[in-house]
Short mmCIF file of all heavy atoms in Angstrom, two decimals:
data_model
loop_
_atom_site.label_atom_id
_atom_site.label_comp_id
_atom_site.label_asym_id
_atom_site.label_seq_id
_atom_site.Cartn_x
_atom_site.Cartn_y
_atom_site.Cartn_z
N LEU A 53 39.44 -19.23 23.47
CA LEU A 53 40.70 -19.17 24.22
C LEU A 53 40.61 -18.16 25.36
O LEU A 53 41.14 -18.40 26.44
CB LEU A 53 41.85 -18.80 23.28
CG LEU A 53 43.23 -18.60 23.92
CD1 LEU A 53 43.71 -19.88 24.58
CD2 LEU A 53 44.22 -18.12 22.87
N VAL A 54 39.95 -17.06 25.14
CA VAL A 54 39.86 -15.99 26.14
C VAL A 54 38.44 -15.97 26.71
O VAL A 54 37.47 -15.96 25.97
CB VAL A 54 40.19 -14.61 25.52
CG1 VAL A 54 40.04 -13.49 26.53
CG2 VAL A 54 41.59 -14.62 24.93
N GLU A 55 38.38 -15.95 28.04
CA GLU A 55 37.10 -15.87 28.73
C GLU A 55 37.17 -14.67 29.67
O GLU A 55 38.18 -14.47 30.36
CB GLU A 55 36.86 -17.15 29.51
CG GLU A 55 35.44 -17.34 29.93
CD GLU A 55 35.21 -18.75 30.45
OE1 GLU A 55 35.18 -19.70 29.64
OE2 GLU A 55 35.06 -18.88 31.68
N LEU A 56 36.11 -13.88 29.71
CA LEU A 56 36.10 -12.65 30.48
C LEU A 56 34.96 -12.65 31.49
O LEU A 56 33.91 -13.24 31.23
CB LEU A 56 35.92 -11.46 29.55
CG LEU A 56 36.90 -11.41 28.38
CD1 LEU A 56 36.42 -10.47 27.30
CD2 LEU A 56 38.28 -11.03 28.88
N SER A 57 35.17 -11.98 32.61
CA SER A 57 34.14 -11.83 33.63
C SER A 57 33.82 -10.34 33.77
O SER A 57 34.73 -9.52 33.89
CB SER A 57 34.62 -12.38 34.97
OG SER A 57 34.88 -13.76 34.86
N PHE A 58 32.52 -10.04 33.76
CA PHE A 58 32.06 -8.65 33.88
C PHE A 58 31.10 -8.54 35.03
O PHE A 58 30.38 -9.49 35.37
CB PHE A 58 31.32 -8.21 32.61
CG PHE A 58 32.17 -8.12 31.40
CD1 PHE A 58 32.32 -9.21 30.55
CD2 PHE A 58 32.84 -6.94 31.07
CE1 PHE A 58 33.10 -9.14 29.42
CE2 PHE A 58 33.62 -6.86 29.94
CZ PHE A 58 33.75 -7.97 29.10
N GLU A 59 31.03 -7.34 35.60
CA GLU A 59 30.09 -7.03 36.66
C GLU A 59 29.40 -5.72 36.29
O GLU A 59 30.03 -4.80 35.76
CB GLU A 59 30.81 -6.90 37.99
CG GLU A 59 29.90 -6.78 39.17
CD GLU A 59 30.67 -6.91 40.48
OE1 GLU A 59 31.86 -6.55 40.53
OE2 GLU A 59 30.05 -7.36 41.45
N GLU A 60 28.10 -5.65 36.59
CA GLU A 60 27.32 -4.45 36.28
C GLU A 60 27.13 -3.61 37.55
O GLU A 60 26.76 -4.13 38.61
CB GLU A 60 25.96 -4.85 35.73
CG GLU A 60 25.10 -3.67 35.36
CD GLU A 60 23.70 -4.10 34.93
OE1 GLU A 60 23.24 -5.18 35.32
OE2 GLU A 60 23.07 -3.31 34.21
N HIS A 61 27.40 -2.31 37.42
CA HIS A 61 27.14 -1.34 38.48
C HIS A 61 26.43 -0.17 37.86
O HIS A 61 26.97 0.47 36.94
CB HIS A 61 28.43 -0.86 39.15
CG HIS A 61 29.09 -1.89 40.02
ND1 HIS A 61 28.58 -2.29 41.23
CD2 HIS A 61 30.21 -2.61 39.84
CE1 HIS A 61 29.35 -3.20 41.76
NE2 HIS A 61 30.36 -3.42 40.94
N ASP A 62 25.23 0.12 38.30
CA ASP A 62 24.45 1.26 37.81
C ASP A 62 24.33 1.26 36.29
O ASP A 62 24.48 2.30 35.65
CB ASP A 62 25.06 2.58 38.29
CG ASP A 62 25.03 2.69 39.82
OD1 ASP A 62 24.05 2.20 40.43
OD2 ASP A 62 25.98 3.25 40.39
N GLY A 63 24.09 0.08 35.71
CA GLY A 63 23.89 -0.03 34.27
C GLY A 63 25.16 -0.06 33.44
O GLY A 63 25.10 -0.10 32.22
N VAL A 64 26.31 -0.02 34.09
CA VAL A 64 27.60 -0.02 33.39
C VAL A 64 28.32 -1.34 33.69
O VAL A 64 28.49 -1.72 34.84
CB VAL A 64 28.48 1.17 33.82
CG1 VAL A 64 29.84 1.12 33.14
CG2 VAL A 64 27.78 2.48 33.53
N TRP A 65 28.72 -2.02 32.60
CA TRP A 65 29.44 -3.28 32.75
C TRP A 65 30.94 -3.01 32.67
O TRP A 65 31.39 -2.24 31.82
CB TRP A 65 29.07 -4.24 31.62
CG TRP A 65 27.66 -4.75 31.70
CD1 TRP A 65 26.55 -4.19 31.14
CD2 TRP A 65 27.24 -5.92 32.38
NE1 TRP A 65 25.45 -4.95 31.42
CE2 TRP A 65 25.84 -6.03 32.19
CE3 TRP A 65 27.88 -6.91 33.14
CZ2 TRP A 65 25.09 -7.07 32.73
CZ3 TRP A 65 27.12 -7.95 33.66
CH2 TRP A 65 25.75 -8.02 33.46
N SER A 66 31.71 -3.65 33.55
CA SER A 66 33.16 -3.55 33.46
C SER A 66 33.80 -4.91 33.75
O SER A 66 33.28 -5.71 34.52
CB SER A 66 33.71 -2.48 34.42
OG SER A 66 33.53 -2.88 35.75
N CYS A 67 34.92 -5.14 33.10
CA CYS A 67 35.63 -6.41 33.20
C CYS A 67 36.36 -6.48 34.54
O CYS A 67 37.06 -5.55 34.93
CB CYS A 67 36.63 -6.53 32.06
SG CYS A 67 37.59 -8.05 32.10
N PHE A 68 36.19 -7.59 35.23
CA PHE A 68 36.95 -7.79 36.47
C PHE A 68 37.79 -9.07 36.43
O PHE A 68 38.51 -9.37 37.39
CB PHE A 68 36.04 -7.79 37.70
CG PHE A 68 35.12 -8.97 37.82
CD1 PHE A 68 35.55 -10.14 38.46
CD2 PHE A 68 33.83 -8.91 37.32
CE1 PHE A 68 34.69 -11.23 38.59
CE2 PHE A 68 32.98 -10.00 37.46
CZ PHE A 68 33.40 -11.16 38.10
N GLY A 69 37.75 -9.81 35.34
CA GLY A 69 38.56 -11.01 35.25
C GLY A 69 38.87 -11.39 33.82
O GLY A 69 38.00 -11.35 32.94
N ILE A 70 40.12 -11.74 33.59
CA ILE A 70 40.59 -12.21 32.27
C ILE A 70 41.16 -13.61 32.48
O ILE A 70 42.01 -13.80 33.34
CB ILE A 70 41.69 -11.29 31.71
CG1 ILE A 70 41.19 -9.86 31.58
CG2 ILE A 70 42.20 -11.83 30.36
CD1 ILE A 70 42.30 -8.85 31.31
N SER A 71 40.67 -14.54 31.70
CA SER A 71 41.14 -15.91 31.82
C SER A 71 41.47 -16.44 30.43
O SER A 71 40.63 -16.43 29.54
CB SER A 71 40.04 -16.77 32.46
OG SER A 71 40.47 -18.08 32.63
N VAL A 72 42.72 -16.88 30.25
CA VAL A 72 43.15 -17.45 29.00
C VAL A 72 43.16 -18.98 29.19
O VAL A 72 44.00 -19.50 29.92
CB VAL A 72 44.53 -16.92 28.56
CG1 VAL A 72 44.95 -17.54 27.24
CG2 VAL A 72 44.50 -15.40 28.46
N GLN A 73 42.21 -19.64 28.58
CA GLN A 73 41.97 -21.08 28.77
C GLN A 73 42.82 -21.90 27.79
O GLN A 73 42.30 -22.47 26.83
CB GLN A 73 40.48 -21.39 28.63
CG GLN A 73 39.61 -20.65 29.61
CD GLN A 73 39.80 -21.16 31.02
OE1 GLN A 73 40.08 -22.32 31.27
NE2 GLN A 73 39.66 -20.25 31.98
N VAL A 74 44.12 -21.99 28.06
CA VAL A 74 45.07 -22.64 27.17
C VAL A 74 44.68 -24.09 26.89
O VAL A 74 44.84 -24.59 25.78
CB VAL A 74 46.50 -22.54 27.74
CG1 VAL A 74 47.50 -23.18 26.80
CG2 VAL A 74 46.87 -21.10 28.04
N HIS A 75 44.15 -24.78 27.89
CA HIS A 75 43.80 -26.19 27.74
C HIS A 75 42.80 -26.44 26.63
O HIS A 75 42.75 -27.53 26.06
CB HIS A 75 43.26 -26.75 29.07
CG HIS A 75 41.97 -26.15 29.48
ND1 HIS A 75 40.76 -26.73 29.20
CD2 HIS A 75 41.69 -24.99 30.14
CE1 HIS A 75 39.78 -25.96 29.68
NE2 HIS A 75 40.33 -24.90 30.25
N ARG A 76 42.03 -25.45 26.25
CA ARG A 76 41.04 -25.62 25.18
C ARG A 76 41.69 -25.83 23.81
O ARG A 76 41.05 -26.33 22.89
CB ARG A 76 40.11 -24.41 25.11
CG ARG A 76 39.20 -24.30 26.32
CD ARG A 76 38.31 -23.10 26.22
NE ARG A 76 37.39 -23.04 27.36
CZ ARG A 76 36.58 -22.03 27.59
NH1 ARG A 76 36.55 -20.99 26.77
NH2 ARG A 76 35.78 -22.05 28.63
N LEU A 77 42.96 -25.47 23.68
CA LEU A 77 43.64 -25.62 22.39
C LEU A 77 44.03 -27.07 22.10
O LEU A 77 44.35 -27.40 20.96
CB LEU A 77 44.88 -24.72 22.35
CG LEU A 77 44.59 -23.23 22.47
CD1 LEU A 77 45.88 -22.44 22.51
CD2 LEU A 77 43.70 -22.76 21.33
N ARG A 78 44.01 -27.92 23.10
CA ARG A 78 44.40 -29.32 22.89
C ARG A 78 43.48 -30.03 21.90
O ARG A 78 43.86 -31.02 21.31
CB ARG A 78 44.40 -30.09 24.22
CG ARG A 78 45.64 -29.85 25.03
CD ARG A 78 45.82 -30.89 26.10
NE ARG A 78 44.63 -31.19 26.85
CZ ARG A 78 44.29 -30.63 28.01
NH1 ARG A 78 45.07 -29.73 28.54
NH2 ARG A 78 43.19 -30.97 28.61
N THR A 79 42.28 -29.53 21.70
CA THR A 79 41.35 -30.16 20.76
C THR A 79 41.79 -29.96 19.32
O THR A 79 41.31 -30.65 18.43
CB THR A 79 39.93 -29.58 20.91
OG1 THR A 79 39.95 -28.19 20.53
CG2 THR A 79 39.41 -29.75 22.32
N GLY A 80 42.68 -28.98 19.09
CA GLY A 80 43.12 -28.69 17.73
C GLY A 80 42.14 -27.84 16.95
O GLY A 80 42.31 -27.63 15.76
N ASP A 81 41.09 -27.36 17.60
CA ASP A 81 40.07 -26.54 16.96
C ASP A 81 40.59 -25.11 16.82
O ASP A 81 40.64 -24.35 17.79
CB ASP A 81 38.79 -26.58 17.79
CG ASP A 81 37.65 -25.80 17.17
OD1 ASP A 81 37.85 -25.15 16.12
OD2 ASP A 81 36.54 -25.84 17.74
N ALA A 82 40.97 -24.74 15.60
CA ALA A 82 41.53 -23.41 15.34
C ALA A 82 40.55 -22.29 15.66
O ALA A 82 40.96 -21.16 15.92
CB ALA A 82 42.00 -23.31 13.89
N SER A 83 39.25 -22.58 15.65
CA SER A 83 38.26 -21.53 15.93
C SER A 83 38.29 -21.10 17.40
O SER A 83 37.64 -20.11 17.75
CB SER A 83 36.86 -22.00 15.54
OG SER A 83 36.39 -22.99 16.44
N MET A 84 39.02 -21.79 18.25
CA MET A 84 39.16 -21.40 19.66
C MET A 84 39.92 -20.07 19.80
O MET A 84 39.78 -19.38 20.79
CB MET A 84 39.89 -22.46 20.47
CG MET A 84 39.09 -23.67 20.81
SD MET A 84 37.87 -23.25 22.05
CE MET A 84 36.49 -24.16 21.45
N VAL A 85 40.74 -19.74 18.81
CA VAL A 85 41.54 -18.52 18.86
C VAL A 85 40.86 -17.44 18.04
O VAL A 85 40.65 -17.59 16.84
CB VAL A 85 42.97 -18.78 18.31
CG1 VAL A 85 43.81 -17.49 18.41
CG2 VAL A 85 43.64 -19.92 19.05
N PRO A 86 40.47 -16.34 18.69
CA PRO A 86 39.83 -15.25 17.95
C PRO A 86 40.75 -14.74 16.82
O PRO A 86 41.96 -14.61 17.02
CB PRO A 86 39.62 -14.16 19.01
CG PRO A 86 39.59 -14.91 20.32
CD PRO A 86 40.56 -16.04 20.13
N PRO A 87 40.18 -14.46 15.63
CA PRO A 87 40.99 -14.00 14.50
C PRO A 87 41.92 -12.83 14.81
O PRO A 87 43.07 -12.83 14.33
CB PRO A 87 39.94 -13.64 13.43
CG PRO A 87 38.80 -14.57 13.74
CD PRO A 87 38.77 -14.66 15.25
N PRO A 88 41.52 -11.83 15.61
CA PRO A 88 42.47 -10.75 15.89
C PRO A 88 43.74 -11.24 16.60
O PRO A 88 44.82 -10.69 16.38
CB PRO A 88 41.68 -9.79 16.78
CG PRO A 88 40.25 -10.00 16.36
CD PRO A 88 40.17 -11.49 16.12
N LEU A 89 43.63 -12.29 17.43
CA LEU A 89 44.82 -12.85 18.08
C LEU A 89 45.69 -13.59 17.07
O LEU A 89 46.91 -13.51 17.12
CB LEU A 89 44.43 -13.78 19.22
CG LEU A 89 43.88 -13.12 20.47
CD1 LEU A 89 43.50 -14.17 21.52
CD2 LEU A 89 44.89 -12.13 21.04
#
């Protein structure tokens, strides 16, 4: 359900994009949602 974008600068990775892919839930696959959510 959640997809993240990271970029590396000087060996350090940081998130620059958060994407919640709601359309993926139409399959009915419960594993698309991470357990903590």
Side-chain angles (χ1 to χ4, degrees):
L53 176 62
V54 178
E55 196 169 287
L56 308 163
S57 298
F58 294 91
E59 189 170 28
E60 181 185 24
H61 288 289
D62 298 325
V64 177
W65 291 90
S66 67
C67 179
F68 69 88
I70 302 168
S71 182
V72 180
Q73 300 291 328
V74 181
H75 66 96
R76 291 180 177 174
L77 298 176
R78 281 197 314 266
T79 65
D81 182 356
S83 71
M84 284 288 140
V85 181
L89 288 178

